[in-house]
Amino acid sequence: VQLVESGGGLVQPGTSLKLSCVASGFVFDDYAIGWFRQAPGKVREGISAIRSSRGSTWYADFVKGRFATSSDNAKNTVYLQLNNLKPEDTAVYYCAASARINSNYDAGLSVKYDYWGQGTQVTVSS
């Protein structure tokens, strides 16, 4: 099982980034893919999750419409569109996969995810 994130970088406040997570080694349709982030000195927090086979998505409250997740099943890829980025969005962003997501509550819990990518750094600074 492998998850590979890409698309991070150094950007100015107010700009956008699109992160990608390419999955391999498991049946993509059987899993939910979640996005998490972890800033220095802070706990890892859930951002969003998607289970494309069920047409379902979940977002953390703090996203407030700025971020959006989508998937391309043909490419086994999940995306996280980050808009109107702020300095407080600076963190390492991770994608993770789980076959144990059964509720919106589960979707934001890192302990529910079995497989993790290596992360991609997003730095928002002027």
Side-chain angles (χ1 to χ4, degrees):
V1 175
Q2 190 174 25
L3 298 167
V4 180
E5 304 97 334
S6 62
L10 172 62
V11 297
Q12 293 189 338
T15 60
S16 299
L17 277 177
K18 188 172 186 177
L19 308 183
S20 299
C21 171
V22 180
S24 61
F26 59 91
V27 180
F28 190 71
D29 285 353
D30 289 345
Y31 283 74
I33 305 296
W35 284 98
F36 292 78
R37 69 183 184 183
Q38 188 165 18
K42 294 188 177 182
V43 299
R44 189 170 296 188
E45 62 180 350
I47 301 170
S48 67
I50 185 168
R51 186 154 185 173
S52 56
S53 63
R54 296 181 180 178
S56 60
T57 55
W58 166 85
Y59 293 96
D61 289 343
F62 74 82
V63 168
K64 294 181 180 178
R66 291 194 299 128
F67 301 167
T69 189
S70 60
S71 68
D72 183 337
N73 288 9
K75 297 181 178 179
N76 279 11
T77 300
V78 172
Y79 304 98
L80 182 65
Q81 177 71 42
L82 309 173
N83 298 319
N84 189 22
L85 283 162
K86 304 175 181 180
E88 53 263 42
D89 294 318
T90 295
V92 178
Y93 284 69
Y94 299 90
C95 65
S98 174
R100 301 183 289 128
I101 305 301
N102 297 307
S103 68
N104 285 341
Y105 181 74
D106 287 349
L109 295 178
S110 60
V111 295
K112 286 287 188 177
Y113 289 81
D114 303 303
Y115 307 108
W116 291 82
Q118 82 289 348
T120 186
Q121 177 71 47
V122 173
T123 302
V124 185
S125 175
S126 57

